[in-house]
Amino acid sequence: MTTLLSAQDVSFRIENRDLVHKVNLNLRAGEIVAVIGRNGAGKTTLLRLLTGDLKPSQGHVSVFGQPIETHSLKELAKNRAVLSQSTPLHFDFRVFEVVLLGRTPHQHSHRESQTDIQIAKHCLTQVGLAGFENRQYLTLSGGEQQRVQLARALAQITAPDQATDTESQASLLFLDEPTSSLDISHQHKILQVARARVDQSQHGHALGVFAILHDINLAAQYADRILVLSQGQRLAFGPSAEVLNSDLLSEAFQHPITVIDHPTAAGKLVVT
Amino acid sequence: MLARARTISPVTIVMGAMAVALLITLVLSVGIGAVKISPLQVISIFGARFGIEPLTAFEIQQAAVLEAIRTPRVLLGALLGGALATAGAALQGLYRNPLADPGLLGISSGASLFAAAAVVLNINWFGIFTLPIAAFIGSLLALSIVYNLSKSQGHTRMTTLLLAGIAINAMCGALTGFFTYISTDEQLRSITFWQLGSLGGASWTSLAASSPFLLITIFGIPFFAKALNALLLGENNARFLGIHVEHAKRALITLVALGVGAGVAVAGMIGFVGLVIPHLVRLSLGPDHRHLIPISALLGATLLVLADLLSRTIVQPAELPIGIVTASVGSPFFLYLLLRDRKNVAL
């Protein structure tokens, strides 16, 4: 499997304090890596380092096999999308217009092409909002708005149908606490869509997802590997089943945590 | 599927209709005033310039009024209205706030201060151009102070930009107040009139001096339509969509300053156009800047020409300052929009 994203000894220092300290990680095509940790553990700083938003004080970040600084903003935007916790959109676009904004880096002219429209339509269906095209974005619920934003992010990194396998490119999706203000069903919908996208990605174009998740159980359920951050340092990084153990999580979160086998599904369940 | 490719989109139809409306407004309003000139005569007078046989008879006096007074005035009104509306649309997108206005960045008040200073201190270095030049310098100075204050670590912070604009506005207001206080009665009159805005001083010279700036604003800002759309999602998200956010912000702020500064310089303070016009277009056609900007430009041009027509005919033979017209028509209308939409749209 190709490595889509890697960080070598990445540190970020501000006012003599390392917000992120010598973190190593990699993300392969076809997997979801989740980052968990307490507030202030450096999760968001790490994400900003990995997206090129911040420059590391030490260490290197590579994206698609090349140092991140060698990619232009526009080239990156064609294969990498970021979904934030909340999007400050206060203008009354129609839902379909919001999704089409994801096609911005692919548009050479002022107008969207038929391909852009097809892809946007496809992604809106994927997030379960087919038929919402002409709804006003601001009238939707928070959960629906976030799914529209996910569709926008997916539209950004979706290759057109007619693209052959040789043309197909690897893509990256960053999720920055995408579910923290949503109810349970919306939380699962967002991650199910990401999971489905990643699982399809073995054939054709390869997708890797890097997600900051607030809820350890969501990470346990959807991530292939989990990175545990504590005080800016990597406490553990590995397959979910290995990382999720009571002692490690109790240390990372500074709170007693019990990990048991999930009673109805495969995987672990975290109880606090 | 959305049938976009084959059929003519409603936006194109609206744009065409707006262009026709602007043209009709231009032809009608050059003919209305103390000296009446019918649309046919207007066409004949212009035609005669190019050696075309007149369609109908006209008097020399009509031709003189049309060519020397009305035409530059109406053209200046159209360009100014277009530039103010475009600038307003750009600022509202940049601030992600539908209530942003060119007055916000301190541009207008900086211009106003320098104009007042020029009047009261009897500065007369550039003859009749002294006031416009002073206003222009004031607007650029105010904007560069506000802009530099809001830059930190290579980023432009929009909140600081807004607050710095408010501070500069207050400071300029205080200093303008001081100049007003020490002015003579005659100077006071001149400052007040300038602050109320008027296209009365329009001539071919002032049109030639200001139109390059106004045109750069009108035709430059549409190039950033896609960037502005992406910016509505927040600066980070725009960057993730491949937009060079800093570059776009700097370019847009400069374009706005050029247009608004030039506008204030030739016509004084004309409020509400930049605020109301884009808002109106957005309410009917949505916030997509690819059509918001050109349609705002056309509507702004049309409405400012009409406002000027009202200002020079309503109290004939005197003239009502156009700023009074735009504010008294614009503000109740704006209130109406706010009240109508307060339930479903969160501003």
Side-chain angles (χ1 to χ4, degrees):
Chain A
M1 273 296 170
T2 31
T3 299
L4 300 181
L5 172 73
S6 69
Q8 285 111 39
D9 286 327
V10 165
S11 299
F12 185 74
R13 170 169 282 265
I14 194 160
E15 287 167 0
N16 287 324
R17 208 168 74 86
D18 274 358
L19 297 184
V20 167
H21 184 71
K22 293 204 169 178
V23 169
N24 284 286
L25 66 90
N26 63 341
L27 173 67
R28 297 185 288 252
E31 72 169 346
I32 296 181
V33 165
V35 186
I36 58 174
R38 304 171 72 191
N39 292 337
K43 301 184 299 267
T44 301
T45 309
L46 179 63
L47 185 123
R48 293 181 66 192
L49 289 165
L50 296 176
T51 54
D53 213 16
L54 291 176
K55 282 200 190 348
S57 320
Q58 266 161 35
H60 305 280
V61 174
S62 291
V63 180
F64 306 126
Q66 305 279 334
I68 190 164
E69 56 273 11
T70 61
H71 296 278
S72 77
L73 204 58
K74 183 129 190 182
E75 284 308 312
L76 269 182
K78 285 181 181 171
N79 297 304
R80 182 203 68 186
V82 183
L83 175 64
S84 324
Q85 186 176 346
S86 64
T87 305
L89 178 56
H90 308 300
F91 284 75
D92 213 11
F93 277 113
R94 288 183 301 121
V95 165
F96 200 62
E97 292 176 308
V98 177
V99 182
L100 272 174
L101 284 179
R103 299 300 296 166
T104 303
H106 304 274
Q107 289 165 3
H108 303 293
S109 76
H110 229 50
R111 311 199 71 186
E112 49 273 348
S113 64
Q114 281 302 315
T115 310
D116 295 329
I117 290 173
Q118 269 164 22
I119 288 176
K121 196 100 178 158
H122 174 70
C123 293
L124 200 56
T125 309
Q126 234 174 10
V127 301
L129 292 179
F132 275 61
E133 285 82 351
N134 288 313
R135 293 277 294 273
Q136 299 301 125
Y137 177 80
L138 294 182
T139 63
L140 302 184
S141 74
E144 288 165 343
Q145 289 189 349
Q146 185 68 331
R147 276 154 71 195
V148 172
Q149 294 298 340
L150 177 63
R152 171 184 63 79
L154 291 175
Q156 191 181 340
I157 52 173
T158 302
D161 286 339
Q162 33 305 21
T164 58
D165 279 356
T166 48
E167 271 183 289
S168 69
Q169 277 186 323
S171 50
L172 265 173
L173 177 62
F174 286 89
L175 305 174
D176 184 4
E177 301 201 14
T179 62
S180 47
S181 58
L182 307 184
D183 61 39
I184 291 173
S185 92
H186 279 296
Q187 292 183 358
H188 283 276
K189 272 181 190 130
I190 297 272
L191 288 164
Q192 277 161 5
V193 171
R195 187 73 250 178
R197 263 299 185 100
V198 167
D199 292 340
Q200 286 162 17
S201 75
Q202 269 83 350
H203 343 277
H205 15 271
L207 173 68
V209 174
F210 184 89
I212 296 180
L213 291 179
H214 210 66
D215 183 334
I216 312 172
N217 277 317
L218 282 176
Q221 211 169 332
Y222 291 97
D224 298 285
R225 290 192 293 161
I226 294 179
L227 172 68
V228 186
L229 275 187
S230 179
Q231 295 174 346
Q233 302 194 44
R234 180 178 119 173
L235 204 62
F237 183 40
S240 307
E242 287 173 27
V243 170
L244 296 175
N245 67 68
S246 307
D247 294 342
L248 188 98
L249 292 184
S250 301
E251 190 197 332
F253 285 87
Q254 300 282 300
H255 185 87
I257 290 175
T258 313
V259 178
I260 55 173
D261 285 324
H262 199 290
T264 58
K268 302 285 184 188
L269 183 66
V270 176
V271 186
T272 53
Chain B
M1 283 310 305
L2 291 183
R4 259 213 190 140
R6 302 260 161 68
T7 53
I8 302 169
S9 74
V11 171
T12 317
I13 296 170
V14 172
M15 223 180 281
M18 291 300 309
V20 173
L22 174 60
L23 204 66
I24 292 172
T25 308
L26 289 177
V27 173
L28 286 181
S29 58
V30 288
I32 299 171
V35 176
K36 291 194 171 48
I37 312 165
S38 74
L40 267 185
Q41 286 174 318
V42 169
I43 295 166
S44 303
I45 292 169
F46 285 124
R49 274 262 153 186
F50 300 98
I52 300 165
E53 197 66 27
L55 297 164
T56 177
F58 58 85
E59 290 165 31
I60 299 294
Q61 190 213 7
Q62 287 179 315
V65 167
L66 179 70
E67 290 182 353
I69 301 169
R70 299 254 177 90
T71 308
R73 178 169 185 160
V74 165
L75 286 179
L76 185 65
L79 285 178
L80 186 55
L84 288 176
T86 315
L91 282 181
Q92 289 161 14
L94 265 183
Y95 282 104
R96 290 190 291 287
N97 186 339
L99 295 179
D101 179 76
L104 216 66
L105 290 178
I107 307 173
S108 314
S109 55
S112 185
L113 169 62
F114 271 58
V119 169
V120 174
L121 302 175
N122 277 319
I123 294 167
N124 203 4
W125 300 332
F126 308 100
I128 54 157
F129 289 110
T130 306
L131 209 58
I133 289 174
F136 190 57
I137 293 171
S139 64
L140 279 184
L141 206 64
L143 187 78
S144 56
I145 292 172
V146 169
Y147 185 68
N148 281 312
L149 281 177
S150 66
K151 253 194 326 198
S152 107
Q153 298 160 3
H155 289 285
T156 314
R157 292 162 178 269
M158 294 319 272
T159 329
T160 322
L161 190 67
L162 183 76
L163 294 173
I166 290 172
I168 292 290
N169 271 337
M171 203 187 294
C172 289
L175 288 171
T176 309
F178 174 71
F179 282 118
T180 313
Y181 179 68
I182 62 166
S183 62
T184 64
D185 279 0
E186 195 195 338
Q187 288 168 339
L188 180 65
R189 203 173 157 72
S190 150
I191 293 173
T192 310
F193 261 88
W194 193 81
Q195 280 179 342
L196 293 174
S198 170
L199 287 169
S203 64
W204 286 110
T205 324
S206 68
L207 181 67
S210 60
S211 57
F213 301 106
L214 300 173
L215 286 168
I216 287 173
T217 302
I218 295 172
F219 290 100
I221 287 177
F223 282 103
F224 295 92
K226 271 170 62 176
L228 282 166
N229 281 345
L231 274 166
L232 294 187
L233 296 168
E235 288 182 21
N236 280 332
N237 286 316
R239 207 171 289 120
F240 294 139
L241 284 170
I243 305 292
H244 289 275
V245 172
E246 274 310 308
H247 167 235
K249 275 196 290 195
R250 232 169 274 160
L252 281 166
I253 288 172
T254 312
L255 285 168
V256 167
L258 279 179
V260 176
V264 177
V266 287
M269 312 270 271
I270 301 179
F272 271 94
V273 178
L275 180 63
V276 170
I277 307 279
H279 202 81
L280 193 61
V281 177
R282 212 180 279 113
L283 278 172
S284 45
L285 292 166
D288 187 338
H289 288 89
R290 288 173 299 179
H291 49 251
L292 173 66
I293 293 169
I295 292 176
S296 292
L298 289 169
L299 187 64
T302 310
L303 290 187
L304 198 66
V305 170
L306 287 177
D308 182 47
L309 181 63
L310 201 62
S311 84
R312 64 189 164 86
T313 51
I314 196 168
V315 288
Q316 259 177 352
E319 267 192 32
L320 193 66
I322 191 171
I324 295 178
V325 177
T326 56
S328 53
V329 176
S331 49
F333 182 68
F334 191 65
L335 264 182
Y336 159 74
L337 291 178
L338 282 179
L339 293 178
R340 199 193 67 169
D341 291 304
R342 68 180 157 182
K343 287 200 192 78
N344 45 25
V345 178
L347 288 174

